[in-house]
Structures are given as structure tokens and as C-alpha cells.
Amino acid sequence: MRQLKLSRAFTLLEPGPVVLVTTHDGKKNNIMTISWTMVLDFTPLFAITTGEWNYSFAALRTSKECVIAIPTVDILDQVVGIGTCSGADTDKFARFKLTPVRGKVVRAPLIKECLANIECKVIDILGKHNIVVLEGLAAYMEPARRERRTVHAVGDGTFIVDGRKLDRRAMMASKIPEGA
Amino acid sequence: MRQLKLSRAFTLLEPGPVVLVTTHDGKKNNIMTISWTMVLDFTPLFAITTGEWNYSFAALRTSKECVIAIPTVDILDQVVGIGTCSGADTDKFARFKLTPVRGKVVRAPLIKECLANIECKVIDILGKHNIVVLEGLAAYMEPARRERRTVHAVGDGTFIVDGRKLDRRAMMASKIPEGA
């Protein structure tokens, strides 16, 4: 994996793909699948919706770290599988044949099979609304990967795969942050 | 526009499309384009990132209402145009030839040319993180529209159009909320 400029990391989440979030609770790694994420700024700060109903939440709260990994359509069945079992009784890296890779900053692992990874620290937990605020610390992209299409959850068990890309850079020049 | 079950409204935002948010400040309508949105729960509650840098924020804060409208790829140039000018000096409905339609609950208008619309009230503003929490009150879908592909902003001036749909309903049966 090649390091990606941190100023571009928000572009991994802005399109709204399904993501994997890894944690390390001091003893073991875990992964959850989430679709409820949002960019908060370009630095980048992110928000995710999670809470006690996710087994990973305890590790997120105590370690104050995680990795957001961006999967592509070729591993959708693993992504769905990860979202429908619990780290309480499953080693998800082993069960879904994914490879944890040590990052530079946090103890939660990157996922080798994903298109991109963002090491994050938890900077706030807004318990009232089940929002966790994350700061991206380092980002990585796999340049050699052929399949680069991400997937968007609809929420009813169906998923939309990325289609074609449209360029509106000229129209949007005044709004694109430097480095994006 | 046909009313959509409120229990399905979260499925409009979960895939992460670019959306239009309309407001009414007591005198005039306005529209902003945003991509930073997130589902908070199935009731549905949503979060959006916005603040003083958006002219619409003042109307959102004082009226405590808005409509989230979901555009499709055929009106992308209007969506980008709306995001690159200000309601301070522009009547965006007139300039971009969009039709405001009176909703049932809030004074902010639905947008006739959009695939779907959600009437919302502001239930919290988390100023520290520029997060506005919205509750969806009524939702609508245009059943007759042929173009139904939404668009995902990358954040660098490019956009990804919806591609094909994959069905994982059977695998996800345990996780799909009732009514979705």
C-alpha cells in the first residue's frame, strides 16, 4: 500500500461507500461493516454512527483508535458477512480470510485486501446521538489493484456498485480544496 | 410525487448520494448542495455537516426545518451550479429552473424535478462539530421518473454515477429493519 496525501483522504469517504472499521482492544483485532459515515472537514475529520449495539464500540471507546478500510465490489460477500456476525465470538480476519497489516500510527490494523485505509483516532463521542468523531492521521491507497469500484448500501439488503465517473472539475474549481 | 413509507426514508440517504437541501427563511426559498450527510437511525434521524459558511445555515437555524431532495444524474449540472453560487444574491429555483412544491409539514419546499424528497425538522445543532441533526417527518418518491441513478461526489470535482444493483437480501435478512 502506498501512502496517500492526508489532504485527499476525505475523498475516500465523501462518495459514501460501505466501509470496514477495524479496532484492536488490547488483545485482539476486530472488524465491523458500516455505511453510516460522513465527512466533517478536509483536515480530515469524519463522523460515524455507532454505539453499544456494535461489539466494536467498546474497543473504539477504550483504545480511541480505529482504521477505516474501503473495500471494493469483489469482496462484497466478505463485507456483508462481516456485518452479520459478531466479534464477540468470531475472529473475523480469520473467518473472512483478510490480512491485517500494521499501520504507522494506531494499533488497529489496516486491511491488505482493501482499496484504501485511513488510520484514525477518536476525538469525540457524542453519546446522545451515537456519533463518534474521528480524525484521519494517515491514509493509504493500493495503486496496483485492478478492481477499484466501491459499493453503496441501500439499507434494504441491496447494494449499488460504482458506475461511470463524470468530471465537473472546471465548474467546481472555486470549491475544490487545495490538495484534493 | 407519491408518499413513501417513513420507514424506508433512510434508504434514500444511506447510499451516500449528493443531495439538495431546501430552506425557507420566512421570506424566500433557498437551496444548497451537500454531500456530507449520514443516517443516524431508522426512525429516521439524519446528520448533515453545515455551518456559517453556508448561506442556508441561518434559515436552517431559525426555521428549524428543511427538505432533503435527492437529485439524479440528468440534473447534475444544476446540482453543481447550485453548489457554486449563493442564495445571498441568487434565486436558485429561478436560476436553475427548478419547481418548488409545497410539502405537508414544513415550509421549505420539495423540489419537483428530484427523484425523492424528505421533509425534515432540525432537532439538534452540535455547533462544536458543525453537525445538524434532522428528523425525517414525511418522504416522497417520484414513481414515474425514468432516470433513477443518483450521483456520488468524490470531493475533487468528479462524481460517480450509480452503476448496477446487487442483491444480498438473503445474506442480510437478520439485519434489515422491518419496513425497509
Side-chain angles (χ1 to χ4, degrees):
Chain A
M1 261 174 287
R2 185 182 295 171
Q3 202 141 0
L4 181 75
K5 276 192 304 180
L6 208 49
S7 62
R8 273 195 66 79
F10 81 96
T11 65
L12 300 171
L13 285 196
E14 175 144 345
V18 175
V19 303
L20 300 173
V21 175
T22 78
T23 47
H24 183 90
D25 67 3
K27 290 181 186 162
K28 58 188 198 302
N29 294 324
N30 194 17
I31 321 175
M32 65 176 163
T33 300
I34 63 171
S35 184
W36 296 356
T37 72
M38 175 169 78
V39 179
L40 289 175
D41 71 23
F42 301 115
T43 62
L45 293 182
F46 304 112
I48 67 175
T49 303
T50 183
E52 299 287 358
W53 66 88
N54 285 130
Y55 180 76
S56 294
F57 182 68
L60 201 57
R61 189 172 43 194
T62 54
S63 71
K64 298 207 173 304
E65 296 179 346
C66 67
V67 166
I68 301 174
I70 319 288
T72 46
V73 63
D74 51 322
I75 61 168
L76 177 61
D77 287 335
Q78 286 149 285
V79 170
V80 172
I82 288 164
T84 51
C85 67
S86 172
D89 54 21
T90 309
D91 175 346
K92 299 196 194 182
F93 275 95
R95 174 158 168 198
F96 297 102
K97 298 186 169 48
L98 295 173
T99 314
V101 175
R102 177 79 206 206
K104 293 199 163 124
V105 189
V106 306
R107 214 167 151 194
L110 316 179
I111 301 177
K112 183 168 183 274
E113 289 76 10
C114 283
L115 173 66
N117 284 271
I118 311 169
E119 296 189 68
C120 296
K121 71 174 174 194
V122 173
I123 63 164
D124 210 350
I125 296 181
L126 312 171
K128 183 180 170 193
H129 297 292
N130 301 307
I131 294 171
V132 176
V133 179
L134 302 172
E135 180 180 358
L137 304 174
Y140 309 84
M141 175 74 89
E142 184 53 63
R145 214 169 192 299
R146 288 190 62 184
E147 181 57 80
R148 305 185 79 80
R149 292 174 301 161
T150 69
V151 181
H152 305 263
V154 175
D156 60 358
T158 64
F159 295 83
I160 299 163
V161 185
D162 285 349
R164 68 200 181 96
K165 203 166 200 177
L166 301 176
D167 187 340
R168 293 295 183 277
R169 283 190 185 92
M171 271 183 87
M172 288 198 61
S174 66
K175 291 286 184 173
I176 302 170
E178 216 170 311
Chain B
M1 261 174 288
R2 186 180 296 171
Q3 202 142 357
L4 180 76
K5 277 192 303 182
L6 208 49
S7 62
R8 272 195 65 80
F10 81 96
T11 66
L12 300 171
L13 285 197
E14 175 145 344
V18 175
V19 303
L20 299 173
V21 175
T22 78
T23 48
H24 184 90
D25 66 2
K27 290 180 184 163
K28 58 187 197 304
N29 294 324
N30 194 17
I31 322 175
M32 64 175 164
T33 300
I34 63 171
S35 183
W36 296 357
T37 72
M38 176 168 78
V39 179
L40 289 175
D41 72 23
F42 301 115
T43 61
L45 293 183
F46 304 113
I48 66 173
T49 303
T50 183
E52 299 287 357
W53 67 87
N54 284 131
Y55 180 76
S56 294
F57 181 68
L60 200 56
R61 189 172 42 194
T62 54
S63 70
K64 299 209 174 303
E65 296 179 346
C66 66
V67 166
I68 300 174
I70 318 288
T72 46
V73 63
D74 51 323
I75 60 168
L76 177 61
D77 287 336
Q78 287 149 285
V79 170
V80 172
I82 287 163
T84 50
C85 67
S86 173
D89 53 23
T90 310
D91 175 344
K92 299 196 193 182
F93 276 95
R95 174 158 168 196
F96 296 102
K97 297 186 170 48
L98 296 173
T99 314
V101 176
R102 178 78 205 205
K104 294 199 163 121
V105 190
V106 305
R107 215 170 149 191
L110 316 180
I111 301 177
K112 183 169 184 271
E113 288 77 10
C114 282
L115 173 66
N117 285 270
I118 311 169
E119 297 190 69
C120 296
K121 72 174 174 193
V122 174
I123 63 164
D124 209 349
I125 296 181
L126 311 172
K128 183 180 169 194
H129 297 292
N130 301 306
I131 295 171
V132 175
V133 178
L134 302 173
E135 180 180 0
L137 304 174
Y140 309 85
M141 175 73 90
E142 183 53 62
R145 216 170 189 299
R146 290 188 60 183
E147 180 58 79
R148 305 185 80 80
R149 292 174 301 161
T150 69
V151 181
H152 305 265
V154 175
D156 61 358
T158 66
F159 295 84
I160 299 163
V161 185
D162 285 349
R164 69 201 181 94
K165 203 166 200 176
L166 301 176
D167 187 340
R168 294 294 183 276
R169 284 189 185 93
M171 271 183 87
M172 287 197 62
S174 66
K175 290 285 184 175
I176 302 170
E178 216 169 311

